[in-house]
Amino acid sequence: MKKLFVITLILFSPAVFLACSKSNTTTGGGPGGGAITFSCTGISPKFSTDVQPILTTVCSINTTCHATGTSNSGGPFTTHAEVFAKRSNIRAAILAGVMPQSGTITQPQINAFICWIDSGAPNN
Ligand code: HEM
């Protein structure tokens, strides 16, 4: 009986290991390829100087993306009002790594956008 148990263990341990290792794989492509994280240490990002430049250079680059005139579910992100209205979707989309859909967003840009939203997304 014990022999059978040992044989079974030897036979199935690789499968168990593979199954376990799969569940640890992170999802969402962060700048480093791993899970997306952010830090607000030492920064107090403002809409005008920190977020608006990200909208212009990363998100609202054309009407397929979030420029004025886009018809996608995200909508245009060119004014404070448009971004404020979608701030929780934006936070979720960035941290899930689904946006930007093309191009890249750097770690300092992720920190600025998320920390600005978490500070109440003021029009500053
Ligand atoms: C950091 C920059 C960006 C942010 C914050 C952002 C945010 C979002 C959000 C919040 C949505 C709506 C998701 C929902 O339905 O809840 C969305 C959808 C969408 N975005 Fe973006 N986006 C960014 C960049 C881009 C870029 C560069 C493109 C084009 C290449 C793009 C194309 C789209 C499209 C086509 C959709 C519609 C849904 C889809 O097809 O997945 N976005 N985005």
Side-chain angles (χ1 to χ4, degrees):
M1 187 62 189
K2 196 164 169 232
K3 211 169 165 197
L4 182 60
F5 173 71
V6 173
I7 291 167
T8 314
L9 194 66
I10 293 166
L11 281 176
F12 286 98
S13 55
V16 173
F17 173 74
L18 277 176
C20 292
S21 64
K22 257 199 196 342
S23 64
N24 295 335
T25 306
T26 55
T27 58
I36 294 176
T37 58
F38 65 94
S39 164
C40 302
T41 309
I43 63 168
S44 10
K46 291 187 170 50
F47 178 74
S48 53
T49 48
D50 303 294
V51 175
Q52 186 85 66
I54 304 171
L55 301 175
T56 314
T57 59
V58 181
C59 316
S60 313
I61 51 176
N62 58 45
T63 52
T64 311
C65 309
H66 300 286
T68 304
T70 184
S71 56
N72 70 40
S73 64
F77 296 146
T78 60
T79 65
H80 176 263
E82 287 163 352
V83 174
F84 188 85
K86 288 280 179 87
R87 61 196 181 283
S88 43
N89 302 58
I90 288 171
R91 190 180 194 282
I94 292 176
L95 293 181
V98 292
M99 290 293 151
Q101 206 174 59
S102 73
T104 54
I105 187 169
T106 65
Q107 189 62 57
Q109 288 174 325
I110 291 171
N111 294 344
F113 216 145
I114 303 297
C115 300
W116 172 76
I117 290 172
D118 290 355
S119 72
N123 191 5
N124 54 0

